[in-house]
Amino acid sequence: MATRNHTSVVRKCLYVVVLMSCFAVALVPLYDIFCEITGLNGKTGVVEAETVKTAVVDSNREITIQFDGSVNSALPWELAPATFSMKVKPGQTYTTEYIAKNIATASIVGQAVPSVAPSEASLYFNKTECFCFSQQELLAGETKHMPVTFIVDTDIPEHIDLLTLSYTFFKMEGVAQQ
C-alpha cells in the first residue's frame, strides 16, 4: 500500500515539474508580447515604410530625442551615437546612426536591444529601419556605422517633449565566431 502512495506522489510531482517547465518556456514570448502591447520596459514599435508615407507631420510641435548606447560587460565593443540629441517633429521620418567598434582580436556577433524612456513614449516611437532587427558581426578591430530610421507618432501625448532612445549590445553566445 505504501509503495502505491509513493508512486502516486512521484507521478504528481513529475506532472507539476512538466507543467512548470512548459510555463517557463512560454513565459519569455508572452512577456515580449505583453511589453510590445503596453510599452513596458521601453520596447519600441516597428512600422512599415508604406505606413510612414501617409503620416501627417505636426509642424507645431517639437520633441527632443536623446541617444545613448552601451555594451554588456561580456562584449568587448564600444558603442556610441553619432548624434547625442536631435529635435524632431512628430509624423516626420528621421535617420541617425550609432557607431560600434570591436576592440577584440577576434570576430564577434552582437545583438542590440532598444529601450525608450519614458516607457509611455515607447508606444509612439516607431522604427522603419534598425540595426537592432538583426544580429551584427564585427570583425576584429572593425568599426561599423549602423543607421536607425524612425518616426514619432503624432498621437504622442502633449506632456512628452523629451525622450531617450538607448541601445545595449549583448554578445551572442553559441553563434559561430570566426
Side-chain angles (χ1 to χ4, degrees):
M1 184 79 169
T3 304
R4 194 179 302 162
N5 285 341
H6 290 301
T7 304
S8 175
V9 169
V10 168
R11 187 175 293 137
K12 288 177 183 178
C13 287
L14 285 174
Y15 287 141
V16 169
V17 168
V18 168
L19 286 172
M20 288 173 53
S21 298
C22 291
F23 180 72
V25 168
L27 195 57
V28 172
L30 290 173
Y31 179 74
D32 283 343
I33 291 168
F34 177 77
C35 289
E36 201 170 294
I37 291 170
T38 64
L40 183 69
N41 203 20
K43 296 256 183 183
T44 62
V46 178
V47 293
E48 299 296 323
E50 294 301 316
T51 304
V52 172
K53 289 179 183 177
T54 61
V56 177
V57 177
D58 182 354
S59 57
N60 297 322
R61 187 143 180 235
E62 198 170 70
I63 297 173
T64 302
I65 300 183
Q66 298 173 333
F67 301 99
D68 182 41
S70 63
V71 293
N72 178 271
S73 62
L75 182 64
W77 286 10
E78 295 172 348
L79 179 69
T83 304
F84 291 99
S85 78
M86 115 182 356
K87 294 194 181 293
V88 303
K89 303 243 181 242
Q92 186 168 333
T93 305
Y94 294 88
T95 299
T96 190
E97 63 182 15
Y98 281 72
I99 303 166
K101 181 177 183 180
N102 180 354
I103 57 176
T105 58
S107 174
I108 299 177
V109 177
Q111 176 73 51
V113 177
S115 178
V116 172
S119 60
E120 178 185 9
S122 66
L123 296 171
Y124 306 95
F125 188 90
N126 300 293
K127 297 179 299 283
T128 60
E129 178 186 343
C130 183
F131 58 90
C132 65
F133 293 162
S134 60
Q135 296 176 352
Q136 302 294 319
E137 180 177 11
L138 293 179
L139 303 175
E142 180 182 12
T143 298
K144 188 186 257 185
H145 292 252
M146 299 178 293
V148 179
T149 303
F150 63 91
I151 184 170
V152 176
D153 193 308
T154 55
D155 292 334
I156 191 167
E158 289 291 328
H159 68 274
I160 299 175
D161 58 0
L162 173 69
L163 61 93
T164 301
L165 173 62
S166 180
Y167 287 97
T168 302
F169 255 103
F170 293 89
K171 183 176 182 180
M172 296 307 299
E173 299 294 339
V175 176
Q177 317 278 328
Q178 296 183 7

